[in-house]
Amino acid sequence: MNRLVWKLLRRHISIGQLTGFFLANLFGMIIVLLSIQFYRDVLPIFTQGDSFIKKDYIIATKKISTLGSFTGKSNNFTKDEIKELEAQPFTKGVGVFTPSMFKVSAGLGMQEAGIQLSTEMFFESVPDEYVDVNLDKWHFDENTHTIPIIIPRNYLNLYNFGFAQSRSLPKLSEGLMSLIQMDIMIRGNDRVEQYKGNIVGFSNRLNTILVPQSFMDVANETFAQGKEAHPSRLIVEVNNPTDAAIANYFRTNNYETEGDNLDAGKTTYFLRLITGIVIGVGMFISILSFYILMLSIFLLLQKNTVKLENLLLIGYSPARVALPYCILTAGLNILVLLLSIGGICWIRSYYMEMIRNLFPQLEAGFPLPCILTGCILFLTVSLLNIITIRRKIINIWRAS
């Protein structure tokens, strides 16, 4: 029986149609899998450490006017203003910069390098979910009195390319700075305490000297008892940085943004949009290839309708008659899957080498997203093919 149906299939098979399906499906599958795998490979670059694409954040402040400076008008945000901002449709979350209400002085030195610095400084804190540095070391050690500190990366650049260069002092790398321990003295509420400070990261997003929120809450309570910390800056996570409502709201309420947060957010949004478009194009090509295959199979069935009716009339079940066509489609689909995964692995070896040159810390894991997505597409398309073919055979059987 199966040999007979295979002979019928080979007699009327269109190599050109099946080749068109095969190439279109292969091309579409490669686009979809490559887009997903590339996105997963580069995602750690954008979601770990101080990333510019992790989320869309805006640092909001109030404008400082000349008249306000003379009249002593406050530039702090009230609780009602924060709640109003949180209620806006473009807002996903609002974090508050908590200022230190006590005096802080710090000194650091490296006798081997001939460096000895001391200065008055300040601390601020934000909720941990808004910190753009790895949080593994982001906790205050009460036993050793050690405070983890994050400083802006441009502070280090100012020292290296400004202060150090003009005074012929050695330049400091980020790794070396993380080994330096600062002596920190905190004064307030008639108390003085000594702490150690360790720099655990450098931020591109937050232009301030950060300490953990948990430490800031305790320190303000201890050294500034009775004083309430009023935030003058907010960090706002938005849904879409290109939304014109954001600029309109900020302009209406006389708010400002620090740096180019909106521009960076727009870049992030467009990068995600492009990734979605590429995946969409690949899916569209795959759907078209699915229809090409089904058209080819339907043409084969149509050409063999009379002979298939005879086979069904002499007692062969629709499932046995449909089996060779199902095997053909599943075989083509699995060949497309294997070639696609092999092609992705080959392409991946090239772009991962370039990425590692830029980000040596990036680890290339197993291409699991690519394989899982490919298997899901294979099972889905093959199942639809089989169901459609069997329905067509059943219709022929009922009409005979």
Side-chain angles (χ1 to χ4, degrees), residues 4 9 18 20 31 43 65 75 85 93 96 98-99 101 139 158 165 172 177 232 256 266 278 297 311 329 346 350 391:
L4 178 60
L9 181 61
L18 292 182
I31 290 178
L43 188 63
S65 63
N75 289 287
L85 183 56
V96 173
T98 304
M101 305 301 294
H139 60 274
L158 284 173
Q165 189 164 346
L172 303 176
M177 285 293 293
S232 59
E256 289 184 320
K266 292 178 181 178
V278 172
I297 297 298
L311 291 173
T329 57
W346 178 70
Y350 282 94
R391 284 183 177 178

Side-chain angles (χ1 to χ4, degrees), residues 37-48 348 351-365:
Q37 186 61 48
F38 181 79
Y39 178 79
R40 294 294 300 177
D41 284 333
V42 302
L43 188 63
I45 300 174
F46 301 133
T47 57
Q48 295 177 3
R348 185 171 182 253
Y351 74 70
M352 285 303 296
E353 183 177 354
M354 291 186 290
I355 292 176
R356 285 197 199 95
N357 291 333
L358 298 174
F359 305 95
Q361 75 279 8
L362 184 66
E363 297 181 0

Side-chain angles (χ1 to χ4, degrees), residues 154-388:
N154 59 3
Y155 281 23
L156 182 59
N157 293 335
L158 284 173
Y159 169 80
N160 283 333
F161 305 111
F163 184 80
Q165 189 164 346
S166 65
R167 297 173 181 263
S168 300
L169 293 173
K171 293 181 173 62
L172 303 176
S173 66
E174 292 185 9
L176 184 60
M177 285 293 293
S178 64
L179 299 176
I180 298 175
Q181 193 169 67
M182 294 186 292
D183 296 316
I184 297 174
M185 182 175 293
I186 296 179
R187 300 182 182 88
N189 197 29
D190 297 327
R191 298 182 61 173
V192 178
E193 287 196 22
Q194 293 277 355
Y195 293 88
K196 294 292 183 181
N198 281 339
I199 297 176
V200 298
F202 299 85
S203 175
N204 286 327
R205 179 193 304 154
L206 303 171
N207 191 25
T208 188
I209 302 173
L210 281 180
V211 294
Q213 184 71 53
S214 57
F215 169 77
M216 180 64 78
D217 293 338
V218 174
N220 274 340
E221 179 67 26
T222 303
F223 297 99
Q225 192 172 11
K227 295 181 181 180
E228 184 178 358
H230 298 286
S232 59
R233 296 196 297 169
L234 304 176
I235 179 169
V236 185
E237 182 184 354
V238 297
N239 295 305
N240 178 6
T242 64
D243 191 348
I246 300 175
N248 292 334
Y249 182 83
F250 275 49
R251 183 172 57 254
T252 302
N253 291 273
N254 210 30
Y255 295 165
E256 289 184 320
T257 61
E258 290 187 2
D260 56 353
N261 299 82
L262 283 177
D263 293 335
K266 292 178 181 178
T267 303
T268 298
Y269 177 77
F270 283 119
L271 285 174
R272 292 174 179 167
L273 182 63
I274 290 171
T275 302
I277 291 174
V278 172
I279 293 176
V281 169
M283 292 298 296
F284 180 70
I285 294 175
S286 296
I287 292 172
L288 286 180
S289 67
F290 168 77
Y291 280 109
I292 292 174
L293 176 64
M294 294 315 303
L295 179 61
S296 302
I297 297 298
F298 281 170
L299 288 174
L300 284 173
L301 294 173
Q302 192 65 36
K303 292 176 181 178
N304 295 323
T305 298
V306 175
K307 296 175 181 179
L308 292 176
E309 286 178 349
N310 293 334
L311 291 173
L312 292 168
L313 287 173
I314 62 176
Y316 289 105
S317 66
R320 292 187 64 187
V321 174
L323 180 61
Y325 299 93
C326 296
I327 293 175
L328 173 64
T329 57
L332 288 172
N333 288 332
I334 197 168
L335 183 59
V336 167
L337 173 63
L338 295 176
L339 289 177
S340 298
I341 293 176
I344 298 302
C345 292
W346 178 70
I347 297 173
R348 185 171 182 253
S349 64
Y350 282 94
Y351 74 70
M352 285 303 296
E353 183 177 354
M354 291 186 290
I355 292 176
R356 285 197 199 95
N357 291 333
L358 298 174
F359 305 95
Q361 75 279 8
L362 184 66
E363 297 181 0
F366 187 72
L368 186 61
C370 166
I371 295 175
L372 288 179
T373 304
C375 291
I376 291 172
L377 289 175
F378 162 73
L379 292 174
T380 303
V381 172
S382 297
L383 185 61
L384 289 174
N385 290 150
I386 292 171
I387 291 174
T388 306

